[in-house]
Amino acid sequence: MSALQPTAAPSAGQTTLVQAMLEAPLSLRERKKLKTRQAIRREAYRLISEQGYENTTVDQIAAAAEVSQSTFFRYFATKEDLVLSDEYDPALVTALLGRPADEPFLQSCRETVIGLIRELLQDEREELLTRMRLVSEVPVLRARMHEPPNDPQQLYLTVLTRRAGIEQPTLDMRITAAAVAAATTEVVLHWAESDGRDDIADLVDHAFAVLERGFRGV
């Protein structure tokens, strides 16, 4: 892979992901719920690493996290949702909507998604790698990653329609959202399949570079 240029720092008036999170502080109840979700996930990943995804049950995860089965299902509808869902989508939407209105959509996505990834790598690299390995290796997870509410295409469609001030996306918007979702998904799966050897932020940057030049030379 050729050397990639780092993305530029946000200019004045642009909303970073961190700022988006700070502008919507969690209440005490929300923080407790988040901690519980994280504890359940942490124990799930530990058990899965020891005995495999298929052999790990909801009962085992709940017991390890010291919660009831009903509490587990209050946080995650299924065992698959535990892996596929996360808390970052709302903040990502907020940050994307905070970009300059006249900025090209691909540039907005490039800056914001790479910013999110760099933040995650600081504290949650191993969890992110574990999640993506599971999605890559477990057929039921890979099949469900494009189903609502996990489908990343819908996230980008939401941003595109809100930026345009319309209720229903156009065909061009659907194509754009599908391309961005497919490119970013392919990158994270490639990163997981290569055991995280490459810099995932650079891989994402490269993916957007390919999209921005319209696949010329591919």
Side-chain angles (χ1 to χ4, degrees), residues 193-209:
E193 290 164 1
S194 63
D195 203 28
R197 287 191 298 272
D198 297 318
D199 185 326
I200 187 174
D202 282 351
L203 292 176
V204 172
D205 192 35
H206 178 70
F208 278 105

Side-chain angles (χ1 to χ4, degrees), residues 76-187:
F76 304 103
T78 65
K79 186 173 73 170
E80 289 77 23
D81 287 328
L82 180 148
V83 178
L84 294 171
S85 65
D86 60 46
E87 291 75 44
Y88 311 118
D89 284 359
L92 181 57
V93 169
T94 299
L96 282 170
L97 291 173
R99 303 291 299 187
D102 59 349
E103 182 177 67
F105 181 68
L106 286 181
Q107 183 178 343
S108 295
C109 290
R110 189 177 192 173
E111 300 287 348
T112 306
V113 172
I114 291 174
L116 168 61
I117 288 173
R118 292 202 185 282
E119 291 177 27
L120 292 179
L121 291 177
Q122 292 180 19
D123 301 310
E124 301 179 33
R125 182 185 185 280
E126 291 309 310
E127 179 175 325
L128 179 61
L129 184 56
T130 297
R131 288 180 63 196
M132 291 304 101
R133 279 177 181 151
L134 288 171
V135 172
S136 174
E137 296 168 0
V138 179
V140 66
L141 293 175
R142 193 151 185 167
R144 284 200 54 200
M145 70 183 299
H146 294 295
E147 296 179 2
N150 306 308
D151 187 0
Q153 180 177 346
Q154 189 56 52
L155 182 152
Y156 297 114
L157 275 178
T158 296
V159 174
L160 281 165
T161 53
R162 288 185 185 177
R163 277 170 56 130
I166 59 178
E167 293 185 1
Q168 297 298 324
T170 64
L171 177 60
D172 284 359
M173 289 179 178
R174 291 183 181 279
I175 293 170
T176 300
V180 173
T184 52
T185 298
E186 191 61 32
V187 162

